[in-house]
Amino acid sequence: MTTIKLQTEINAPIKTVFDLNRNIDIHKQSTSKSKETAIDGVVSGLISKGETVTWRGKHFGIYLTHKSTIPEMEIPIYFVDEMLEGRFKRFKHTHTFQQKNGGTIMSDTIEYETPFGLAGKIFNTIILKKHLTNFITERNNFIKQIAEKH
């Protein structure tokens, strides 16, 4: 299993940052490079506990789908999105939010396992981990820009 941990400081209220993170429309905008779009489940607006979304996006030159559910959520402290169907063996993204000095510390913990045994591990080491880290970092920077404009 691979774990990626990221932290972003945002000069905006915790509720604003929390809602931007669970907003399907903001996710589509922040991932426009990979042409991500919601094709099933919650396809617009705020996703909530117990709901699902299926994403379709272009990664590594091919279109992939990824269906996630939100099994846990405590507004505005944290939520978890977990893969139900997709290319990973296992994928879990925990989003946590902490109010600090009038701003918000946004933390991401991504835990995943790749399929395909040794070949999957090599792909992860050489390409995938860096790709996912950059993907989430770009998304977080997009959210930061929007949140700080409010």
Side-chain angles (χ1 to χ4, degrees):
M1 182 173 68
T2 302
T3 302
I4 299 169
K5 293 186 179 217
L6 300 170
Q7 196 169 73
T8 308
E9 293 186 31
I10 301 175
N11 188 22
I14 190 171
K15 181 78 166 87
T16 298
V17 177
F18 183 88
D19 284 344
L20 286 170
N21 270 271
R22 65 188 185 114
N23 187 307
I24 300 298
D25 302 302
I26 294 297
H27 183 87
K28 287 188 268 190
Q29 292 172 34
S30 71
T31 60
S32 63
K33 283 184 185 177
S34 59
K35 300 179 174 129
E36 297 243 339
T37 188
I39 59 170
D40 195 26
V42 179
V43 296
S44 186
L46 301 178
I47 194 165
S48 296
K49 183 178 178 179
E51 295 180 323
T52 64
V53 59
T54 302
W55 294 102
R56 182 175 188 264
K58 194 171 192 177
H59 297 270
F60 311 111
I62 58 171
Y63 280 97
L64 303 171
T65 59
H66 182 100
K67 181 177 183 178
S68 294
T69 186
I70 308 296
E72 302 175 43
M73 179 179 285
E74 184 180 331
I75 299 170
I77 306 301
Y78 80 97
F79 72 95
V80 175
D81 68 78
E82 200 160 4
M83 185 189 80
L84 293 173
E85 298 170 15
R87 295 289 181 165
F88 291 92
K89 197 173 189 181
R90 178 178 173 273
F91 188 94
K92 180 179 179 181
H93 184 172
T94 303
H95 309 253
T96 57
F97 308 87
Q98 179 183 4
Q99 196 157 357
K100 184 176 178 185
N101 301 327
T104 303
I105 305 291
M106 179 174 75
S107 300
D108 295 273
T109 303
I110 299 106
E111 301 167 287
Y112 65 93
E113 287 182 64
T114 55
F116 310 119
L118 182 59
K121 289 178 183 177
I122 292 168
F123 176 73
N124 181 52
T125 302
I126 296 171
I127 298 170
L128 184 59
K129 184 175 181 181
K130 183 177 181 180
H131 173 76
L132 284 173
T133 301
N134 291 340
F135 184 78
I136 299 298
T137 299
E138 286 178 19
R139 182 179 183 281
N140 288 352
N141 289 337
F142 185 89
I143 287 170
K144 177 181 172 81
Q145 288 177 349
I146 291 175
E148 290 180 348
K149 286 181 185 175
H150 278 135

